């Protein structure tokens, strides 16, 4: 499987302090798992939420978290996936941008890990494929990055407005092929 690295850009209204870049990519996709990776460059002041153990949680976007959006081809609805370095996660379905939000069922909990070096951090998430769309999708990679001092920056493949809005379909510029059959 070929993986393409996608460079995310910070929203101009919320610039980072020390973070120099955020990239994301699919590192694996088969009938069992969708594996995603985000890399943060310049992570010396990164705020990492405390370990909380696996489990669903809302409001993960209030501090450092990583998100993916999947919009099946030909549909107005989409899936939002949120992952925290605390190991908390969330999954939602939407009928249209920010409309009809409902908790998305997952057959089992996603897995995630965060590794930090002196100047970079890597966050990996593995999502059960049985809980995801089974057709090709437009995809959005996003990240909320908190740095020391409460500095929040909002990173996406593209931004469409004056305020950060990861639900804007203009952010869904990547592609995710349908998983191969089991």
């Amino acid at each position: 499987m070929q993986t393409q690295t996608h460079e995310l850009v910070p929203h101009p209204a919320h610039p980072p302090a020390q973070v120099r870049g955020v990239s994301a990519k699919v590192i694996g996709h088969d009938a069992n798992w969708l594996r995603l990776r985000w890399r943060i460059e310049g992570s010396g002041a990164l705020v990492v939420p405390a370990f909380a153990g696996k489990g669903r949680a809302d409001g993960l976007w209030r501090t450092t978290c990583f998100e993916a959006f999947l919009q099946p081809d030909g549909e107005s609805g989409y899936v939002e996936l949120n992952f925290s370095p605390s190991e908390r996660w969330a999954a939602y379905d939407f009928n249209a941008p920010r409309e009809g939000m409902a908790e998305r069922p997952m057959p089992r909990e996603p897995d995630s890990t965060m590794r930090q070096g002196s100047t970079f951090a890597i966050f990996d998430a593995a999502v059960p494929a049985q809980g995801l769309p089974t057709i090709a999708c437009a995809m959005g990679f996003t990240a909320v990055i908190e740095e020391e001092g409460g500095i929040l920056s909002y990173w996406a493949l593209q931004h469409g407005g004056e305020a950060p809005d990861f639900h804007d379909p203009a952010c869904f510029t990547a592609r995710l092929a349908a998983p191969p059959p089991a």
Side-chain angles (χ1 to χ4, degrees), residues 48-54 57 60 64 83-89 112 123:
V48 178
F51 176 76
K54 290 185 184 200
L60 299 176
T64 300
F83 310 101
S84 170
S86 71
E87 290 197 7
R88 297 292 179 169
W89 61 276
S112 64
F123 182 83

Side-chain angles (χ1 to χ4, degrees), residues 58-128:
D58 293 323
L60 299 176
W61 54 269
R62 291 184 176 105
T63 185
T64 300
C65 77
F66 304 90
E67 302 178 356
F69 293 80
L70 302 172
Q71 185 175 35
D73 288 352
E75 296 184 19
S76 59
Y78 58 94
V79 176
E80 176 185 359
L81 303 168
N82 299 186
F83 310 101
S84 170
S86 71
E87 290 197 7
R88 297 292 179 169
W89 61 276
Y92 307 102
D93 285 317
F94 288 85
N95 297 333
R98 296 195 177 277
E99 293 180 13
M101 182 174 136
E103 200 171 83
R104 183 173 186 86
M106 279 288 155
R108 65 176 280 196
E109 293 193 278
D111 289 320
S112 64
T113 59
M114 181 137 190
R115 300 179 305 281
Q116 288 189 268
S118 58
T119 62
F120 70 93
I122 294 175
F123 182 83
D124 288 337
V127 187

Side-chain angles (χ1 to χ4, degrees), residues 2 12 24 34 46 49 60 87 104 106 108 125 139-140 142 148 166:
Q2 265 191 340
L34 172 63
L46 182 67
L60 299 176
E87 290 197 7
R104 183 173 186 86
M106 279 288 155
R108 65 176 280 196
M139 184 174 193
T142 64
E148 293 170 359
F166 295 159

